[in-house]
Amino acid sequence: MPIHNQDIAGIFDTVGDLLDIKGENPFRVRSYKNAARAIEEMSQNVTEMVDKHEDLTKQPGIGKDLSQKIEEIVRTGRLEYLKNLTKEVPLSLLDLLKIETLGPKKVGKLYQELSIRDLDSLEKAIDEGEVKELEGFGEKTVEKIKTEIERIRSSPQERRFLLAAAEKIVSSLLEELEKIPSVDRIIIAGSYRRRKETVGDIDVLVTCDDPETVMERFVSYEDVTTVISHGSTKSSVKLRSGRESDLQVDLRVVPDESYGAALHYFTGSKAHNVAVRKRAVSKGLKINEYGVFRDDEMLAGKTEEAVYEQVGLPYIEPELREDRGEIEAGLNGNLPELVTCEDMKGDLQTHSTESDGKNSIEEMARAAIDMGYEYFAVTDHSQRVSVAGGMDEKRLAKQIDYINSIQEKFSDFTILKSIEVDILEDGTLDLPDSILKELDIVTCSIHYNRNLSYEKQTERILRAMDNRYFNILAHPTGRLIGSREPYQFDLEKVMQAAVEKGCFLEINAHPERLDLNDTHARMAKEMGLKLTISTDSHSTANLKNIRYGISQARRGWLTRDDVLNTRPWSEVKKLISR
DNA sequence: GCCGTTTTCGGCCCGACTGTTTTCAGTCG
């Protein structure tokens, strides 16, 4: 198995944390952290770059030392430097960093002074009264640590929230805040606004000339379970989510003249902000959440556009703000004009009552028309997916006749005869060519035999794509966010084959799938592969999920041209013909 | 450890809140 970018990133992240605990130069720590993030978000596979002897130091944040360490990890699967480091600073200390209120300095102190190296020894030291004797550790800190140990033991892994889930949880809180008369503007910033597939917390920005009232109402809201902090312009709470862990919400109030600067600041990402502020510094300017300043003079702040303008940049869409090259693209005038929901002309994966959908084909068609579409594809399951009532050849033939019979009820709207046909273990398709050739478009996907080896799974998909009726690979990696890992295969090879054979891959817009993800989408774009964005709807309401797919496409830098189903059916038809 | 439109050395983004101390370090985002 090749070394993945995440493996390298994980090692550098760990080194950064350990150096931090050790009390090393904080900028050195930051170098490891920055490199970890950069590698994790790169669309190219680092292992392959090493194999091809590409110069890694060309990557921002990677210098001579780190590029050598990367090569060592790729070659040996490990890093000698990390191994030696753990002799001085044990790995188990990383568990202590998960305790809110404990950072690297305090963890370092616990280790140095009391030889505490994990949750158990920390708890013991607290019980024996040793911790509160340490300088910087008072009664409140010790109490906080105790409740944090409880929390971590009861739910060991930090759960992030699906974008769609967070949206629901926070909506009633926003309604409550909107009722306050002095509140002017209210918007969610942070990773939510950048449309990341999951969010760790919610950042709410409010403009208002009466911050105290807003803060008071915020911390006393009925669903608040914990008040983490409560200041005059900034407060944080935990909000009941109906799940094992609560959702943290940070609220920030700024005056209206700072709206743009604050929105930019709290939208992030952190890396993007750092890059923008660096540019400001080089121009003798300072950017903070209140505005852009030269000495004490405020030059901009009311809008984000004005903030960017001060540092010589055009407006950058929130989905691009990850420091993945958007600053350079902005400077060179190469920012992509991102695909929008309005660009979409049709949905290419939907289900009806014929298999496991909740609405009839006609109901789905009416809903698709309401979405402003010109066409949609009926892609019920094939026979292999028996639990979902998958169709055999005979039933599919009947469905084709049925769709032909109702088509005339619709003017200027096309119901595409299609299917989501299973890719069997040997790479053949679940229905014969004789029926597939009767369809307008064929979507293929994997539901079974998910555990094949990397090589076999890759081979299976490539073989399926050899079938001339194969048009689209649906939910290509098979992952479910937070609950099911992708199956193992060579995605880049599959994408390359798709380009050569004239196939397409899907961005499945279901909030739990988002498959392909943003990084994959960017990779496809760079390879010249066009993608489809479809909802996999099992009801009329699901069609609206298209926006989640669009968000990920935008995060992957896709334009209207990069997406197949932004085109009218006549053009799609030409492009898919093999 | 990285980086360079003043630089190959000397910088490295910025501010609010908390708790522990009485002016600030640590944490967090």
Side-chain angles (χ1 to χ4, degrees):
Chain A
M1 272 294 265
I3 302 285
H4 297 296
N5 289 15
Q6 291 98 307
D7 303 324
I8 303 169
I11 290 175
F12 283 171
D13 212 39
T14 302
V15 171
D17 280 335
L18 295 180
L19 289 175
D20 210 359
I21 292 170
K22 198 181 156 198
E24 266 280 358
N25 176 355
F27 298 107
R28 195 167 162 229
V29 172
R30 192 189 294 170
S31 293
Y32 279 97
K33 293 273 180 182
N34 285 346
R37 200 198 57 85
I39 291 165
E40 191 161 20
E41 306 213 325
M42 270 166 58
S43 51
Q44 308 107 295
N45 183 310
V46 172
T47 296
E48 279 182 22
M49 294 173 73
V50 170
D51 287 343
K52 291 178 192 161
H53 300 101
E54 284 181 38
D55 185 4
L56 294 172
T57 64
K58 292 226 169 69
Q59 300 294 322
I62 312 283
K64 203 172 156 207
D65 182 87
L66 289 184
S67 92
Q68 280 175 1
K69 288 192 166 77
I70 291 171
E71 283 174 33
E72 181 188 338
I73 295 167
V74 168
R75 273 203 322 275
T76 68
R78 32 181 277 167
L79 184 64
E80 193 66 19
Y81 176 65
L82 172 58
K83 194 183 155 202
N84 292 331
L85 193 58
T86 58
K87 288 175 191 157
E88 292 176 73
V89 194
L91 268 181
S92 58
L93 289 178
L94 298 183
D95 287 342
L96 301 185
L97 282 181
K98 292 181 191 144
I99 294 175
E100 228 169 273
T101 192
L102 284 190
K105 295 286 184 297
K106 284 202 163 83
V107 169
K109 190 155 202 158
L110 290 168
Y111 178 58
Q112 291 297 334
E113 312 255 329
L114 299 176
S115 301
I116 289 167
R117 45 168 67 214
D118 51 32
L119 293 181
D120 289 341
S121 52
L122 176 56
E123 194 170 40
K124 186 157 167 275
I126 289 174
D127 289 344
E128 290 169 1
E130 291 179 322
V131 175
K132 67 173 194 291
E133 299 301 320
L134 287 181
E135 198 186 338
F137 289 77
E139 209 168 316
K140 282 190 170 173
T141 305
V142 171
E143 275 311 305
K144 173 79 179 167
I145 293 173
K146 276 167 78 174
T147 58
E148 279 287 295
I149 291 176
E150 284 303 308
R151 179 187 66 81
I152 291 170
R153 289 222 171 105
S154 65
S155 63
Q157 55 199 11
E158 204 64 40
R159 288 295 286 265
R160 290 178 64 87
F161 288 76
L162 289 182
L163 187 56
E167 211 164 284
K168 276 196 187 128
I169 297 166
V170 82
S171 63
S172 56
L173 168 65
L174 289 192
E175 280 169 26
E176 187 69 17
L177 294 177
E178 273 163 7
K179 288 182 197 156
I180 304 171
S182 58
V183 165
D184 185 15
R185 286 194 268 201
I186 181 164
I187 186 171
I188 305 180
S191 52
Y192 179 95
R193 183 165 178 247
R194 303 199 310 279
R195 311 307 285 167
K196 280 195 74 164
E197 59 187 35
T198 61
V199 299
D201 61 12
I202 292 284
D203 302 289
V204 184
L205 179 66
V206 166
T207 63
C208 171
D209 48 20
D210 178 22
E212 279 80 12
T213 305
V214 179
M215 288 304 166
E216 208 46 58
R217 191 80 70 90
F218 177 64
V219 299
S220 58
Y221 178 63
E222 58 182 4
D223 282 342
V224 167
T225 56
T226 316
V227 177
I228 300 165
S229 68
H230 181 181
S232 56
T233 66
K234 183 182 178 226
S235 298
S236 297
V237 302
K238 295 272 190 187
L239 205 57
R240 189 151 37 128
S241 70
R243 300 181 10 181
E244 68 270 32
S245 56
D246 292 341
L247 175 64
Q248 179 165 337
V249 183
D250 300 330
L251 178 71
R252 189 62 192 266
V253 181
V254 297
D256 197 52
E257 67 262 24
S258 294
Y259 176 74
L263 183 57
H264 180 257
Y265 184 90
F266 291 109
T267 297
S269 66
K270 188 176 171 177
H272 173 86
N273 286 355
V274 168
V276 170
R277 267 179 257 146
K278 264 187 191 165
R279 280 194 58 77
V281 170
S282 73
K283 290 174 175 295
L285 305 173
K286 184 181 78 168
I287 299 184
N288 57 28
E289 59 262 58
Y290 301 109
V292 183
F293 298 87
R294 173 167 279 123
D295 301 322
D296 287 335
E297 186 196 359
M298 178 161 157
L299 302 176
K302 195 159 172 64
T303 67
E304 286 191 310
E305 284 83 354
V307 172
Y308 280 116
E309 193 185 348
Q310 285 297 325
V311 292
L313 284 168
Y315 177 76
I316 298 176
E317 299 280 3
E319 294 92 333
L320 298 180
R321 301 182 195 171
E322 299 289 347
D323 194 26
R324 298 177 185 166
E326 72 277 10
I327 308 271
E328 295 75 10
L331 291 172
N332 299 330
N334 292 334
L335 281 172
E337 197 172 318
L338 300 178
V339 62
T340 67
C341 287
E342 291 70 36
D343 289 331
M344 301 307 293
K345 295 275 198 291
D347 198 320
L348 294 175
Q349 202 202 153
T350 71
H351 297 260
S352 76
T353 45
E354 186 61 30
S355 63
D356 57 349
K358 290 197 172 57
N359 292 96
S360 69
I361 293 176
E362 268 193 64
E363 287 167 339
M364 293 297 286
R366 304 282 172 204
I369 290 169
D370 286 345
M371 294 286 294
Y373 292 157
E374 297 174 7
Y375 56 88
F376 89 116
V378 180
T379 55
D380 281 309
H381 288 286
S382 65
Q383 54 195 4
R384 176 70 180 84
V385 192
S386 49
V387 287
M391 298 182 293
D392 58 16
E393 191 174 359
K394 220 167 139 189
R395 278 174 60 204
L396 178 55
K398 229 173 120 185
Q399 188 180 66
I400 292 171
D401 287 343
Y402 174 70
I403 291 174
N404 284 335
S405 75
I406 63 167
Q407 175 62 59
E408 63 184 17
K409 294 189 194 173
F410 300 90
S411 54
D412 301 327
F413 184 81
T414 310
I415 304 173
L416 299 175
K417 289 150 281 186
S418 186
I419 185 141
E420 181 183 8
V421 62
D422 254 57
I423 300 172
L424 303 179
E425 185 172 357
D426 63 359
T428 57
L429 300 181
D430 189 28
L431 288 169
D433 290 358
S434 56
I435 188 77
L436 296 181
K437 76 173 170 27
E438 301 298 323
L439 298 168
D440 294 311
I441 187 165
V442 174
T443 285
C444 307
S445 64
I446 286 177
H447 292 102
Y448 297 96
N449 308 103
R450 303 173 36 85
N451 302 331
L452 298 188
S453 70
Y454 186 83
E455 292 74 18
K456 279 197 174 146
Q457 197 70 276
T458 307
E459 188 52 39
R460 172 192 193 178
I461 300 170
L462 292 178
R463 186 170 301 171
M465 287 166 77
D466 283 336
N467 185 310
R468 59 180 293 217
Y469 300 109
F470 186 121
N471 298 127
I472 299 165
L473 178 62
H475 44 73
T477 78
R479 65 112 176 227
L480 294 178
I481 299 171
S483 62
R484 193 167 80 190
E485 291 297 307
Y487 37 74
Q488 298 298 314
F489 72 107
D490 189 338
L491 177 60
E492 199 171 342
K493 206 165 177 179
V494 166
M495 284 185 174
Q496 193 55 51
V499 172
E500 287 159 13
K501 297 173 205 273
C503 304
F504 299 86
L505 269 62
E506 175 189 79
I507 294 178
N508 189 297
H510 191 286
E512 258 183 278
R513 288 194 182 269
L514 300 178
D515 177 12
L516 303 171
N517 68 21
D518 54 354
T519 314
H520 298 147
R522 180 108 182 251
M523 192 167 127
K525 181 190 172 96
E526 282 165 8
M527 293 171 71
L529 172 64
K530 294 190 197 312
L531 302 177
T532 66
I533 308 176
S534 296
T535 57
D536 202 350
S537 284
H538 285 67
S539 72
T540 52
N542 288 164
L543 290 171
K544 293 203 172 70
N545 284 341
I546 194 74
R547 59 203 174 95
Y548 297 112
I550 299 284
S551 294
Q552 298 315 305
R554 290 167 63 86
R555 289 179 54 81
W557 292 51
L558 301 196
T559 65
R560 185 170 66 181
D561 184 60
D562 297 319
V563 180
L564 187 67
N565 45 336
T566 56
R567 294 168 172 76
W569 168 240
S570 58
E571 279 182 45
V572 173
K573 196 173 173 180
K574 277 182 216 154
L575 283 169
I576 63 170
S577 86
R578 296 176 64 180

